[in-house]
């Protein structure tokens, strides 16, 4: 999806408000159908990242990853959280927990998360992760699923905040 475009909300997407924030639960639909709010622009980027990550994994003799709706939701939630806070961090706010976020979005464990900010495309975000040993190790881990999203907040000049979630 190009920046500034919005896809319609599908009927099978269920949005749940909890004390910890917004959680999207999916029932058989694509996560790309989640509608951004007026306060932020967020979109999934898994399809752009998947061929790059799988090519890298193939060169290392590893099995490819597949789109995982739960990982996409978790990545979207994290990208939106970072954009709203205006900071790149795995943990935002008091009592934040990576494990609890993964459980809330029903991501199969084990799971890992890569984050980045400032890159203007999914290809550049993935390359930044490839160039970082710890992030590269995550992408080459024993995972099966992938979700990638970018969140932007208009009041911070649409600065992109990227999240990648890898899952069992």
């Amino acid at each position: 999806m190009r920046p500034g475009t919005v896809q319609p909300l599908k009927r099978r997407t269920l949005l749940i408000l909890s004390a910890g924030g917004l959680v999207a639960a999916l029932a058989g639909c694509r996560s790309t159908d989640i509608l951004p709010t007026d306060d932020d622009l967020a979109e999934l980027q898994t399809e752009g990242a998947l061929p790059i990550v799988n090519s890298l994994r193939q060169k290392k003799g590893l099995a490819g990853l597949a789109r995982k709706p739960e990982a996409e939701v978790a990545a979207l939630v994290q990208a939106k959280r970072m954009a709203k806070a205006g900071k790149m961090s795995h943990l935002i706010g008091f009592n934040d927990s990576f494990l609890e976020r993964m459980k809330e979005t029903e991501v199969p464990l084990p799971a890992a998360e890569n984050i980045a900010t400032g890159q203007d495309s999914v290809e550049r975000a993935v390359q930044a992760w490839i160039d970082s040993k710890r992030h590269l190790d995550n992408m080459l881990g024993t995972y099966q699923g992938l979700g990638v999203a970018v969140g932007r907040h208009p009041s911070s000049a649409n600065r992109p905040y990227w999240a990648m979630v890898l899952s069992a």
Side-chain angles (χ1 to χ4, degrees):
M1 183 180 350
R2 292 190 337 251
T5 63
V6 175
Q7 290 186 341
L9 184 64
K10 296 288 183 177
R11 283 182 283 164
R12 292 182 291 167
T13 301
L14 173 65
L15 298 177
I16 302 167
L17 288 174
S18 70
L22 177 68
V23 176
L26 301 180
C29 66
R30 294 179 352 173
S31 303
T32 54
D33 300 325
I34 295 172
L35 186 65
T37 67
D38 290 339
D39 294 335
D40 60 23
L41 300 173
E43 61 188 59
L44 286 168
Q45 297 285 324
T46 307
E47 288 183 12
L50 202 52
I52 302 167
V53 174
N54 281 343
S55 174
L56 176 69
R57 290 176 63 86
Q58 182 181 15
K59 290 176 187 172
K60 302 286 186 178
L62 300 170
L65 303 177
R67 277 182 87 168
K68 193 75 102 169
E70 302 87 354
E72 289 184 322
V73 170
L76 187 63
V77 168
Q78 179 62 10
K80 290 176 76 167
R81 291 175 64 223
M82 291 187 300
K84 183 177 180 181
K87 72 177 190 173
M88 182 183 77
S89 178
H90 292 283
L91 303 176
I92 298 172
F94 184 69
N95 278 342
D96 195 5
S97 164
F98 171 75
L99 183 58
E100 288 304 313
R101 282 192 290 112
M102 295 303 106
K103 286 180 181 179
E104 285 176 4
T105 52
E106 299 181 1
V107 171
L109 300 175
E113 177 177 79
N114 289 346
I115 58 174
T117 188
Q119 296 79 11
D120 62 0
S121 69
V122 67
E123 294 83 8
R124 289 188 177 168
V126 173
Q127 187 61 52
W129 291 321
I130 290 170
D131 293 341
S132 164
K133 179 163 177 18
R134 285 183 19 205
H135 295 101
L136 176 62
D137 288 347
N138 281 345
M139 291 187 290
L140 298 177
T142 57
Y143 300 107
Q144 299 171 1
L146 179 73
V148 178
V150 62
R152 301 172 196 272
H153 197 287
S155 68
S156 57
N158 283 329
R159 181 172 183 82
Y161 291 87
W162 297 90
M164 170 187 279
V165 173
L166 300 117
S167 68

